[in-house]
Amino acid sequence: MTFEQKFAKIKDKFAEVDTGVYTKPFAIQIVMTDEDCGGVFYIAYQKGNFACEPYNYCEHTAEVIGPVAEIEKVITGRCGAEKAVAAGKVIINGLMDDVLSLAASKKAVAKKATAKKTTKTTKAWFILNGKW
């Protein structure tokens, strides 16, 4: 997979981000170290605007460096940033709080989607059993 293809998949994952969890602006530069899809992109939130673009961001507040599989786990909240750093899977330079807030926004979107599905299932169960 090329850098452009991998970046497009990651950008799609951040299409629906809950920006309400952000308390301050940030710019996280991501450095993918894989041979086949290595490259640099950034994820930023400033003045109410969220961006994920395939460019270098010189004045970033944090930088995440590592293989793309591990980076995806960290920025989407599937693996804790502290755990990944302690295991030597990624390197985080700068403000780890910014990386954690990015992961929290993805978790918030995932929880909302799960909650909606659970509610619909519960209503269907009551209707099937003749109770409301």
Side-chain angles (χ1 to χ4, degrees):
M1 182 174 288
T2 66
F3 168 76
E4 290 82 9
Q5 293 168 327
K6 194 60 174 175
F7 170 74
K9 284 188 174 193
I10 292 171
K11 186 172 181 170
D12 285 345
K13 288 181 182 181
F14 286 94
E16 293 182 29
V17 175
D18 183 6
T19 56
V21 299
Y22 301 139
T23 58
K24 63 178 185 136
F26 64 81
I28 301 170
Q29 179 165 288
I30 310 293
V31 181
M32 299 186 302
T33 59
D34 299 89
E35 276 188 42
D36 58 341
C37 66
V40 177
F41 68 95
Y42 74 87
I43 301 171
Y45 173 76
Q46 294 182 355
K47 298 180 183 175
N49 297 317
F50 185 84
C52 182
E53 298 298 332
Y55 307 111
N56 186 17
Y57 200 104
C58 295
E59 297 179 16
H60 53 268
T61 58
E63 180 179 49
V64 181
I65 305 168
V68 69
E70 298 302 324
I71 289 172
E72 280 186 290
K73 290 177 188 175
V74 170
I75 63 177
T76 59
R78 289 184 288 141
C79 176
E82 298 96 342
K83 183 178 178 181
V85 169
K89 295 181 178 182
V90 297
I91 298 169
I92 298 179
N93 297 319
L95 302 174
M96 188 174 294
D97 288 344
D98 289 352
V99 177
L100 295 174
S101 69
L102 177 65
S105 70
K106 278 306 292 173
K107 283 184 176 180
V109 169
K111 284 182 182 178
K112 284 181 182 177
T114 303
K116 288 179 184 176
K117 289 179 183 176
T118 304
T119 305
K120 289 179 183 176
T121 305
T122 304
K123 286 182 181 178
W125 182 83
F126 284 119
I127 292 170
L128 288 174
N129 289 306
K131 300 175 184 175
W132 185 247

